[in-house]
């Protein structure tokens, strides 16, 4: 009854029309979900093992890491047609688009490098040696600093985007996964899957400001594995996917305290907000679905079946 009422409230609330694009690792597809109907409206084929996904600033192109195809694919989101592949290095997993809307920073897990590709010329402009098994990627809002996290080296690598060289390396807990700049780029957050923490750094000094730990009632600590996270409007709260614990944590971004845990699908990995950030869509790999969370009430309101092992998610306004 509570879930039905919450869903009715959510659907009755005016929201921006749009789509959530979800990569399905085992199906080699992308599922497109309507944020109005909360249903899958399209499914497009991709290369092998799609994971990271992001859009150009005008949403006219979608970039997809086809990891087992060793390519970043560029798709026309209006038609689902693959326009071309970009050179990416081996096993691209995550990437981030520079604010200039042109340079794509790609983590190459098998090569221990970050590849920088010019999306207009389709050429590699830099390859930067980082730690072993790079995965997470972030870039500061001013475009001056990029971050690569390396799973096995347990570091965040700080890259000067003008010189394309490392200027700092900071230790984090075991198997860092995801990174984000927040609060106008003054802080940088990194999740550590096996360490079970999120570390907060000061952008200017690269010094650690805080560390967030998680404890889900009734769940063994080994299953509490933070991976992807996203921030509410104003960066007041972070929603953190906790992997095989099957929960999302809600963290106060000022105090670094956990305020709530939300039960979602099995092995929650990444997530994306709709345009006004009233809805949060989580990718649940093992259960092969997406949980829709009403952000205001912090309640799950619907489960949407997608492909096998959904991984990445990204928002696109309706055309």
């Amino acid at each position: 009854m509570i879930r039905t009422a919450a869903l009715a409230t959510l659907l009755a609330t005016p929201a921006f029309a749009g789509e959530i694009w979800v990569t399905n690792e085992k199906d080699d597809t992308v599922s497109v979900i309507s944020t109005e109907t909360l249903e899958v409206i399209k499914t497009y084929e991709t290369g092998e093992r799609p994971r990271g996904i992001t859009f150009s600033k005008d949403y006219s192109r979608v970039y997809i890491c086809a990891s087992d195809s060793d390519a970043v694919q560029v798709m026309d989101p209006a038609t689902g047609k693959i326009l071309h592949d970009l050179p990416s290095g081996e096993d691209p997993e995550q990437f981030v688009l520079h604010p200039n809307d042109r340079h794509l920073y790609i983590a190459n897990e098998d090569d221990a490098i970050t590849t920088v590709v010019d999306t207009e010329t389709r050429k590699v402009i830099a390859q930067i040696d980082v730690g072993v098994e790079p995965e997470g990627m972030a870039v500061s809002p001013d475009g001056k600093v990029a971050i690569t996290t390396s799973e096995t080296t347990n570091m965040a690598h700080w890259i000067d985007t003008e010189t394309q060289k490392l200027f700092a390396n900071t230790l984090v807990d075991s198997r860092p996964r995801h990174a984000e700049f927040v609060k106008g780029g003054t802080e940088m957050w990194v999740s550590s899957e096996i360490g079970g923490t999120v570390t907060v750094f000061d952008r200017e000094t690269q010094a650690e400001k805080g560390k967030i730990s998680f404890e889900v009632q009734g769940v063994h600590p080994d299953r509490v594995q933070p991976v992807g996270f996203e921030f509410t409007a104003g960066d007041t709260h972070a929603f953190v996917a906790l992997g095989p614990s099957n929960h999302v944590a809600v963290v106060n971004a000022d105090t670094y305290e956990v305020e709530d845990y939300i039960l979602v699908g099995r092995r929650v990995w990444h997530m994306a907000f709709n345009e006004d950030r009233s809805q949060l869509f989580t990718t649940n790999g093992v259960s092969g679905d997406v949980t829709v969370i009403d952000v205001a009430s912090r309640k799950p309101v619907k489960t949407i079946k997608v492909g096998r092992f959904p991984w990445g998610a990204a928002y696109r306004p309706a055309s």
Side-chain angles (χ1 to χ4, degrees), residues 108-310:
N108 296 121
E109 189 168 29
D110 289 351
D111 281 351
I113 60 172
T114 295
T115 298
V116 188
V117 174
D118 187 316
T119 60
E120 292 185 14
T121 65
R122 306 181 198 174
K123 295 183 182 298
V124 173
I125 61 173
Q127 288 194 308
I128 305 158
D129 290 327
V130 291
V132 180
E133 290 192 285
E135 174 162 339
M137 292 297 317
V139 66
S140 59
D142 62 9
K144 294 181 178 180
V145 180
I147 297 292
T148 302
T149 65
S150 53
E151 292 183 52
T152 301
T153 310
N154 300 330
M155 281 185 172
H157 308 279
W158 301 69
I159 300 167
D160 182 323
T161 59
E162 184 174 348
T163 64
Q164 308 297 3
K165 295 185 182 300
L166 296 181
F167 67 89
N169 298 287
T170 48
L171 283 170
V172 293
D173 289 334
S174 182
R175 196 181 289 177
R177 284 288 193 176
H178 189 66
E180 291 281 350
F181 283 92
V182 298
K183 300 180 182 177
T186 60
E187 288 184 357
M188 198 273 293
W189 291 40
V190 178
S191 63
S192 296
E193 180 187 8
I194 301 303
T197 60
V198 171
T199 306
V200 182
F201 291 96
D202 179 87
R203 179 259 182 88
E204 289 301 317
T205 65
Q206 298 88 56
E208 183 179 313
K209 290 183 66 175
K211 187 169 287 189
I212 304 158
S213 299
F214 306 92
E215 185 176 344
V216 182
Q217 186 174 3
V219 178
H220 192 280
D222 287 350
R223 297 185 63 80
V224 181
Q225 300 175 6
V227 187
F229 53 89
E230 296 290 338
F231 284 79
T232 57
D235 292 344
T236 62
H237 291 82
F239 283 70
V240 183
L242 298 179
S245 76
N246 307 334
H247 283 76
V248 170
V250 184
V251 178
N252 185 305
D254 293 322
T255 65
Y256 308 143
E257 297 293 327
V258 180
E259 295 183 352
D260 212 346
Y261 292 100
I262 304 166
L263 180 64
V264 292
R266 296 172 61 198
R267 203 217 69 170
V268 54
W269 213 242
H270 285 286
M271 58 190 76
F273 283 106
N274 66 340
E275 187 166 348
D276 66 0
R277 303 197 187 191
S278 62
Q279 304 166 333
L280 182 65
F281 296 74
T282 73
T283 61
N284 312 317
V286 174
S287 52
D289 54 33
V290 168
T291 300
V292 185
I293 295 172
D294 174 43
V295 173
S297 66
R298 300 179 181 175
K299 301 291 184 184
V301 296
K302 187 170 184 181
T303 299
I304 305 167
K305 198 69 179 174
V306 288
R308 293 181 300 160
F309 277 72

Side-chain angles (χ1 to χ4, degrees), residues 63-131:
Y63 302 101
I64 300 165
C65 277
S67 298
D68 287 355
S69 296
D70 294 333
V72 169
Q73 297 188 308
V74 184
M75 178 184 285
D76 178 352
T79 64
K81 179 183 177 181
I82 301 294
L83 301 174
H84 53 265
D85 289 352
L86 295 173
S88 68
E90 289 189 23
D91 194 18
E93 187 162 350
Q94 287 206 69
F95 48 23
V96 65
L97 188 61
H98 191 276
N100 65 15
D101 201 30
R102 179 166 178 169
H103 294 156
L104 200 62
Y105 285 74
I106 306 165
N108 296 121
E109 189 168 29
D110 289 351
D111 281 351
I113 60 172
T114 295
T115 298
V116 188
V117 174
D118 187 316
T119 60
E120 292 185 14
T121 65
R122 306 181 198 174
K123 295 183 182 298
V124 173
I125 61 173
Q127 288 194 308
I128 305 158
D129 290 327
V130 291

Side-chain angles (χ1 to χ4, degrees), residues 18-24 29-46 53 55 62 64 75-80 281 290 304-307 312-319:
E19 300 165 347
I20 301 295
W21 286 54
V22 174
T23 53
N24 301 304
T29 62
V30 174
S31 298
V32 182
I33 297 169
S34 165
T35 60
E36 288 187 296
T37 65
L38 304 184
E39 302 288 347
V40 173
I41 55 175
K42 302 168 194 168
T43 301
Y44 296 128
E45 293 185 358
T46 67
I53 183 169
F55 285 90
V62 56
I64 300 165
M75 178 184 285
D76 178 352
T79 64
F281 296 74
V290 168
I304 305 167
K305 198 69 179 174
V306 288
Y315 172 77
R316 174 179 180 252
S319 53

